[in-house]
Amino acid sequence: MAESLAYDADARTPVDPTEAVSGFQIGIVLIGISITLPLMYSAGELAQGMGLRSAMTATLIGALALSLMSIPAAIVGASTRLSSYMIIEHTFGYVGAKFINFGFGVFLLGWYAVTAELFGRTLFLAASELTTLALPEWTYTVLSSLIVTVTTIYGFKAIDRLALIAVPFLLLSLAGVVVLSLRQVALTELLNMPGSGAIDMPTGVSAVIGAAIVGVVLTPDLTRYARTTRDCVVASFVGQGGGMCIAYIVGMIPVLVWGELEPMTYMILMGFGGLALVVLVFATWTTNVINLYSTALASRASVPLGDYRSVVIIMGVVGTMAAIVGISDQLIDFLILMGLLVPPIAGIYFADFYILGRRDFSADHLEHRPAIRFNAVAVALGAGLVAAWLYYAGASVTTIGALDALLLSMLAYTLVEWLASMRKG
């Protein structure tokens, strides 16, 4: 299934129902996607800034919110059997979808840059501990980005298959790290350790949601393979909720026990050494290949200039430059911003599908829709900006910025479309 999802990502036709799989299978794929170096770093920062008890609470609240937001997106995918790009095109229009995909491209490129920087740092730390090489850190970032870029161009199929092996090994190694860490310090003691106070609960919840919010909006890419509505619910809770809980909780405990934010460093302290390097490198390698692949697809969908290979190279160079500058220093801020600006996109197609009842996703119907649906584009942009303003002003309706953004976009779009129909009537 993973291979089908990877290579059918830009398909414009519905998935054949005979290819449908269980929600649990989809959830396992989502869990694999969740285990990344940036999320492990984010988890460590939350634990240090909030303390383990509060950080785990923030994770559980964020994971629940992600699951609940994912369910309606999943059902849209299963009902239409279409990719998220096609759903967005139906909702925002052919030209409007280009604006949306440009935004996704920017976010995905930022995620690529964060992962590239952390990938390079991991290689640098490993080389420092395991070899006598004394190269500057940025050279490892460039080297790792070069490997990822070349793989994305020539070897995506091979690395995609390798991910099916690397991710289970990563899960096993992280489970081992947590177990060995808890032998050093009891869980009850960790739960009572205070954080630095640098991160409050709303910020922590927003960071957890922001880490996976693009995946929520793009959930139809996976759940178009779901058999039933029940499978959509299972995939959402197992994948989005379970995946985030696993990724964050296993990333928090060793950071507090060993006092090190770098996964490579605390794994070396535990004696994992070369094994840790192999697992982290392959898992991050596969993750960033997918990031760059998705960035290239989104870029070509919004600005169809150049062939796929050229776009991959250009995006790889730009992402590497951002990584060298040090974009991961703003990781939490980046995740919060994603959690505020992305949900309105889902809110618009939720309102279109569930409230306004626009469920004709046929190719013929698409041809007769306007090239750009200005109301959809304007409300998505406006709701994101208003939600960001409310969050940074310290105001909230639901106490969760991403949920504010989602509900605001749904209500505003429904009202605007209702007023528009009244004028026409």
Side-chain angles (χ1 to χ4, degrees), residues 37-241:
L37 269 178
L39 260 65
M40 292 172 69
Y41 274 87
S42 175
E45 290 183 8
L46 289 187
Q48 290 178 334
M50 302 178 71
L52 182 60
R53 189 183 300 275
S54 295
M56 290 177 70
T57 301
T59 298
L60 292 173
I61 294 172
L64 177 61
L66 287 167
S67 297
L68 294 176
M69 287 190 286
S70 179
I71 290 172
I75 293 173
V76 173
S79 299
T80 63
R81 299 290 177 192
L82 291 172
S83 67
S84 58
Y85 174 75
M86 287 306 301
I87 293 169
I88 288 171
E89 187 170 319
H90 275 275
T91 306
F92 291 87
Y94 175 72
V95 176
K98 292 185 180 296
F99 288 101
I100 301 302
N101 277 284
F102 178 78
F104 278 138
V106 172
F107 284 125
L108 289 166
L109 186 61
W111 200 240
Y112 170 83
V114 167
T115 307
E117 181 184 351
L118 299 180
F119 192 7
R121 187 179 302 169
T122 297
L123 292 176
F124 170 74
L125 292 171
S128 301
E129 292 288 341
L130 304 175
T131 72
T132 57
L133 291 175
L135 299 175
E137 185 176 323
W138 67 266
T139 59
Y140 292 94
T141 300
V142 172
L143 176 62
S144 63
S145 293
L146 179 62
I147 294 171
V148 168
T149 302
V150 171
T151 305
T152 307
I153 293 173
Y154 295 106
F156 185 85
K157 187 172 183 178
I159 204 70
D160 189 36
R161 288 176 174 171
L162 184 59
L164 298 177
I165 300 173
V167 168
F169 272 113
L170 178 61
L171 287 171
L172 287 173
S173 67
L174 290 176
V177 166
V178 171
V179 170
L180 291 176
S181 296
L182 290 176
R183 288 180 179 176
Q184 301 293 319
V185 181
L187 180 60
T188 52
E189 185 178 340
L190 291 176
L191 289 171
N192 291 322
M193 289 175 59
S196 66
I199 301 176
D200 58 19
M201 186 61 69
T203 300
V205 172
S206 296
V208 173
I209 293 174
I213 194 63
V214 172
V216 168
V217 177
L218 302 181
T219 296
D221 287 344
L222 299 179
T223 58
R224 56 185 171 149
Y225 292 90
R227 292 169 182 162
T228 64
T229 298
R230 180 178 178 276
D231 287 313
C232 293
V233 175
V234 170
S236 297
F237 277 101
V238 171
Q240 297 291 1

Side-chain angles (χ1 to χ4, degrees), residues 109 149 292 305 309-319:
L109 186 61
T149 302
L292 186 55
L305 298 177
R309 180 179 299 182
S310 300
V311 173
V312 168
I313 293 173
I314 292 171
M315 293 297 101
V317 170
V318 174

